[in-house]
Structures are given as C-alpha cells and as structure tokens.
Amino acid sequence: MARFTARRVPFGRAADDDDNGEGLPTPTRVKLAARRAAGIAEAAAVLEHLPGPGESLHAICTARMDLTDIIGALLGKLGRCDRMLIASLGYNAANLRTMLNWLDSGAVGSLTLLASIFFRSHKGALWEETLAAFRARKQRAACCHCHAKVVAMHFAAGGKLALEGSANLCGNGSGRENLAVVNDAGLADWHSAWIEALVIAHEGKADEGAGTAPH
C-alpha cells in the first residue's frame, strides 16, 4: 500500500523572518529595509489622530506593515504599557525580537502571548525560542486553537486600548488588513481576561492537533 504524506506548507514569507535580511542577497536586504521603513511610517500616519475615550479608529493597512509597527507607534505616543496581552495566529523572528526589546527596554512591563497550534506545528524552533525567552523574563506564552488577532494594552498613564483586526503580528502578504483601535477600558479588560484564561489553560501543552489552514 502506498503511503501519502502531505507536504508541509511554509508558514509566512521567508524574507520576513529577519529584519536585517542577514544572509540574503543585497537587493533583497535593500527591499527589506525599505519595507520596514515604510511600515513604521505608515503606522505613525495611521495613528496620527488617536481615538478618545469611548471612540474607535478604523483603518485599512497595507501588507508592508506589521502589527508590531502599530503597537510600537502606540508605545511611542502613549508611553509605557504596564500590561500587554496579544492573541495572534502567528508571527516571525523579527516580531519576537521586537517583543523582547519592549520588555528589556521597560517599554512594556508584562507581556502575555497566545499563538495558534498551527503556528507551533510549522514554526517549532521559533516557538521553542519564544518559550525560552519569555520564561527567562518571567512572561507567559501558550498555544491553542486560536484564530484571533487581538491586542489589549494597559498603559502606565491609566488608559486602555483594544486592537482588533485581520492582521497577525507579522505581515501576511495580503493586499490589505483591517484594524480597529478602540479606546474602551471595558473592552480591553474583556480581551485581557479571555486571552489570559486561555494561556493559563494551555501552558505546557504540546499534544493538541495542528489544524490545517492559516489566515
């Protein structure tokens, strides 16, 4: 009897795995640098007018911008985030370095990360690196059957924001991603509660199914 093994589909774009493009041809590194600069500039432009209490900002973002660009721009405008909780189907190595830099620089006090089992099954080495880095910094991370793309931010100054949209932490390669930035403490608390509950429930689990399709 012949056996068929499905080829594992690469998760994400290889060129996105590192910000500096180390090991890539010079033209590719130049394109990566231009993409990063454009993404940061677009993030700043999107957040030029932040929503006031009870208001929300809705935007359509291009694929050259990672969600970490938006979060970084918010940290730059609003200052230290005492508590951040992120749910994302997946991310890349550059996103991980960015998150660790937020923690190491003090821009973020605590960071809880919920990723997908699909991501873990396709990026196992990056997930193990994430767990080691988070544990070394006394932060929490887990995977489960998760398709949500949500960020809850609790700022030291007292404000709370919820980010909801179609984008993962990394650029997905699609033409457009939608984003809503909601200035509502109740919504931020609600997202924080379910993300934290899932992370607590799934910490240390590595035997769940991998799923089939990324989005």
Side-chain angles (χ1 to χ4, degrees):
M1 178 183 294
R3 292 184 178 274
F4 173 75
T5 301
R7 181 175 63 89
R8 182 161 289 186
V9 179
F11 186 84
R13 292 174 292 174
D16 278 346
D17 281 348
D18 287 293
D19 255 345
N20 57 14
E22 183 177 350
L24 296 175
T26 298
T28 303
R29 292 200 307 272
V30 171
K31 289 181 180 179
L32 282 173
R35 175 184 180 274
R36 296 304 307 129
I40 293 170
E42 182 172 339
V46 167
L47 300 173
E48 184 177 353
H49 301 290
L50 290 177
E55 298 178 345
S56 60
L57 167 69
H58 298 264
I60 298 296
C61 307
T62 68
R64 67 174 179 265
M65 182 176 63
D66 291 1
L67 185 56
T68 49
D69 295 329
I70 290 287
I71 299 171
L74 285 169
L75 292 173
K77 291 177 72 73
L78 300 178
R80 174 182 165 88
C81 182
D82 282 341
R83 184 174 175 229
M84 183 185 299
L85 300 95
I86 299 175
S88 178
L89 186 144
Y91 54 93
N92 61 30
N95 301 144
L96 174 59
R97 289 197 302 270
T98 297
M99 289 187 283
L100 297 180
N101 182 64
W102 292 337
L103 290 166
D104 294 343
S105 67
V108 174
S110 72
L111 201 164
T112 299
L113 175 65
L114 180 66
S116 69
I117 293 172
F118 180 89
F119 165 78
R120 184 182 66 198
S121 70
H122 286 74
K123 292 287 188 177
L126 180 56
W127 177 245
E128 291 303 319
E129 181 183 353
T130 301
L131 285 181
F134 269 55
R135 287 168 180 167
R137 293 164 174 80
K138 296 181 169 46
Q139 307 301 313
R140 311 186 80 158
C143 289
C144 72
H145 287 293
C146 176
H147 199 281
K149 293 93 172 178
V150 172
V151 182
M153 304 179 72
H154 302 244
F155 291 93
K160 299 181 183 182
L161 293 177
L163 281 62
E164 304 173 330
S166 63
N168 295 301
L169 288 176
C170 57
N172 297 328
S174 57
R176 298 291 183 270
E177 299 288 357
N178 67 288
L179 172 70
V181 180
V182 186
N183 189 336
D184 185 281
L187 182 61
D189 288 341
W190 182 74
H191 280 310
S192 298
W194 71 258
I195 293 172
E196 185 169 45
L198 283 176
V199 168
I200 291 172
H202 292 274
E203 278 180 313
K205 293 185 179 180
D207 57 352
E208 297 167 288
T212 57
H215 293 285

